Amino acid sequence: AMENLFTGLLDISKLDAGMVKPAVEDFPVSNVLNAVQVNFTPQAEEKGLKLHVVASSLNVRSDAVILERMIANLVANAVRYTQIGKILVGCRRRGKTTAIVVCDTGIGIPAERNEEIFQEFVQLSNPERDRTKGLGLGLSIVKRSADLLGHPITLRSKPGRGSCFAITVPIGAKTLT
């Protein structure tokens, strides 16, 4: 728990200090989606959840490492806060952008707390501060990373029904291969 806390705080500090310099390039979003599928399917299955990652042939323009970390944080939260049901990860094309979405059938977030969850150490369903439920830094890192990359992040959620986070990313040029 201490190592995770230190790593999370270090990540936030680097983002706040402007030490993270994005390496923006065009790349297949499937690289990120495949990594999410490989890394989180075992955790989801262990909890009896279905993780469904929808394939996409789009190229996006972003920093591949930062974007993958953002999606991984969203999926980790979805796995953590979903007790039954499924998690869906995929893309929704919108003109010259795509929304990379992570939706779950988890506990949901009350509308009046949608902004609060992006602050450090906020965990709505962990008042006892059980470290096995995370540290409350993931969404703060996602928000700071989204701001750094200029990728708007939105949230739709309904308590008891689940949440859907979307990160809007520019569509990249086609890769010639």
Side-chain angles (χ1 to χ4, degrees):
M2 288 301 290
E3 183 178 338
N4 288 339
L5 176 62
F6 179 72
T7 301
L9 290 172
L10 187 59
D11 288 346
I12 287 173
S13 296
K14 286 180 186 177
L15 287 164
D16 286 347
M19 294 176 62
V20 177
K21 302 295 182 212
V24 176
E25 61 184 348
D26 294 350
F27 62 91
V29 73
S30 61
N31 294 353
V32 172
L33 299 176
N34 292 340
V36 164
Q37 179 128 30
V38 167
N39 292 328
F40 289 97
T41 295
Q43 293 173 30
E45 288 176 350
E46 188 175 298
K47 285 188 71 175
L49 302 171
K50 171 69 177 155
L51 173 62
H52 183 66
V53 179
V54 179
S56 174
S57 61
L58 289 175
N59 283 353
V60 294
R61 183 156 188 77
S62 186
D63 179 300
V65 173
I66 296 172
L67 184 62
E68 184 177 326
R69 208 172 286 153
M70 292 167 64
I71 302 302
N73 272 327
L74 294 176
V75 174
N77 277 355
V79 170
R80 184 176 293 122
Y81 295 111
T82 302
Q83 299 310 313
I84 56 171
K86 62 185 173 186
I87 299 158
L88 173 68
V89 182
C91 297
R92 290 187 184 143
R93 188 171 184 159
R94 296 178 177 149
K96 294 182 179 184
T97 65
T98 188
I100 302 172
V101 281
V102 177
C103 299
D104 64 58
T105 56
I107 60 174
I109 301 159
E112 65 274 8
R113 302 201 68 190
N114 282 359
E115 294 299 319
E116 180 184 351
I117 62 162
F118 291 103
Q119 297 173 9
E120 298 89 0
F121 304 110
V122 172
Q123 292 178 292
L124 302 184
S125 68
N126 189 12
E128 67 278 4
R129 304 301 296 165
D130 178 358
R131 294 293 173 233
T132 64
K133 296 180 181 178
L135 301 166
L137 295 174
L139 289 178
S140 178
I141 292 170
V142 168
K143 176 70 170 123
R144 282 174 165 84
S145 298
D147 291 345
L148 174 70
L149 294 172
H151 298 343
I153 184 166
T154 57
L155 166 63
R156 287 183 300 112
S157 187
K158 192 173 256 185
R161 303 277 315 251
S163 301
C164 190
F165 289 86
I167 300 170
T168 302
V169 181
I171 293 177
K174 297 289 181 206
T175 304
L176 300 174
T177 55

